[in-house]
Every structure is written in structure tokens, then in C-alpha cells.
Amino acid sequence: MDMLFPSWPLMVAFFAASVALAVTPGPAVVYIITRTLAQGRGAGLASTAGVALGNLGNATGAALGLAALFAVSSLAFTLVKYAGAAYLVWLGIRALRARDAAPAEARFGDASLRRIFRDGFFVALLNPKTAIFFAAFLPQFMDPSASAPLQSIALGAVFVVIACITDTVYVMAASMLAPLLSRMSGAASAGRYVTAGAFIGLGIFTATAGGRGK
């Protein structure tokens, strides 16, 4: 146990910092809220799970040195960055081409939720800034006398769980607003354009953001 987590004072500081960072809205939160408003609570929860798994992959990658590769190789960082941006833009184009009134089973069927989970996973995984973030954030709370990779994976998993909880709160709040928005005249058509615009905007933001921080 001591090999995985730091002393309690450091662990408390880690929890506090993780909660503060997790509740701050970022691209992942915007993505999850957009999915929830467009496709319902089930889609939002599936997106949250997919994003969490993708972030866990980035935490593991940071522990295994992937973040170091991105830090020294601009080409590797840029390729993954633009791949993630292109994926978001593709999701936006797909939303733009979708019909205004999709049947409930198309929104909440098992196949649809699997696809939404997959989309969330790749959106998070194809964000090299997340690996850089974990590589910069986690060492602040690690014990130098213990295994760095094990601590990095363990602390990364804790952060992902915290972020998953806060993202779920965002989903629940957005799902409560969705019925009100759906009753507004023209909401279906407008929602399609807002959804597409949000995804495409996130893709452009991801592609043009200059820094490598989260």
C-alpha cells in the first residue's frame, strides 16, 4: 500500500487538488454535457465512462514514459493532437448530418451506447495534453523512495475516479435541463446545430491550442 500512495498529508492535498481540477469545466466536460443534452442521460453516462477509460489510458501512458516521448518529440505530439482534433470534427459533421428526430431506440439502444462509449474513449485518449498533464501533476504528490510507475498509475486512477464522479454530476444536471430545452420551439433542429458546432469547435480548439498543458 505504501508503494502506491504517498503519506496522508500529501494524499489529502492530492484529493483537494484533484477535486478542484475535476470540477473546472474543460473540453471533456463540454463534450459530455453536449452529448447529454443532445442524446440523453444514457449517452452522457456512456461518454463519461469512455472519457474515464481514455484518461486512465493516458495516466498509464504517462507512467510508462509516453508523456516523456511527447515532451521531446514535437512530431509525435502533433500527430496525436491532430488525430484527436480530426476525430472531434468528424463527430461534429456526423451530428450535423443526423436527422432532427431520432427514435428513442436509436439514441439509447445498446449499439448506440457502445458507439458513444467508444467515441468518448477516443476523444480522451487522443489528447496528448492529458498525458503531459498527468506527467506534470502526479509527481508533485509522489514519494521519491517508492516505485514511480506504480504510484503514477495508482494516483492517476484515483484522479480518474474523482473526475468521473464530477462528470456524472454534470450529466445529471444537464439531463434535468434537457426536457425543458426539448419543449422549446425548434429545439430539435437548433440542438443539432449546437451539438455539431460544439464538437467542431472543440476540434478546432484542440488543433490550435498552443500549450501542452491540460
Side-chain angles (χ1 to χ4, degrees), residues 29-111:
V29 171
V30 174
Y31 172 82
I32 288 167
I33 291 176
T34 301
R35 278 289 198 184
T36 304
L37 292 175
Q39 296 173 285
R41 182 182 299 174
L45 293 175
S47 296
T48 297
V51 167
L53 186 60
N55 284 337
L56 184 60
N58 273 312
T60 303
L64 299 179
L66 186 60
L69 171 63
F70 286 149
V72 300
S73 173
S74 296
L75 178 60
F77 180 89
T78 301
L79 287 176
V80 176
K81 173 183 175 180
Y82 284 131
Y87 194 75
L88 282 167
V89 171
W90 176 75
L91 290 178
I93 294 173
R94 193 174 71 183
L96 193 61
R97 297 175 61 185
R99 295 181 181 275
D100 287 344
E105 58 270 17
R107 295 182 180 181
F108 301 108
D110 291 340

Side-chain angles (χ1 to χ4, degrees), residues 194-210:
V194 169
T195 299
F199 287 158
I200 294 173
L202 283 174
I204 294 173
F205 174 81
T206 300
T208 58

Side-chain angles (χ1 to χ4, degrees), residues 3-28:
M3 294 180 61
L4 296 180
F5 298 107
S7 62
W8 277 112
L10 268 182
M11 198 64 193
V12 171
F14 174 75
F15 268 108
S18 297
V19 170
L21 289 169
V23 299
T24 303

Side-chain angles (χ1 to χ4, degrees), residues 14 18 22 48-60 130 133-134 137-138 152-168 214:
F14 174 75
S18 297
T48 297
V51 167
L53 186 60
N55 284 337
L56 184 60
N58 273 312
T60 303
T130 306
F133 162 76
F134 280 125
F137 176 67
L138 298 182
S152 181
I153 293 173
L155 290 176
V158 172
F159 182 90
V160 167
V161 170
I162 292 172
C164 189
I165 292 171
T166 59
D167 288 347
T168 299
K214 184 183 179 189

Side-chain angles (χ1 to χ4, degrees), residues 36-37 40-41 168-183:
T36 304
L37 292 175
R41 182 182 299 174
T168 299
V169 173
Y170 278 116
V171 169
M172 295 304 176
S175 66
M176 287 189 290
L177 290 175
L180 175 63
L181 296 176
S182 66
R183 288 195 293 268

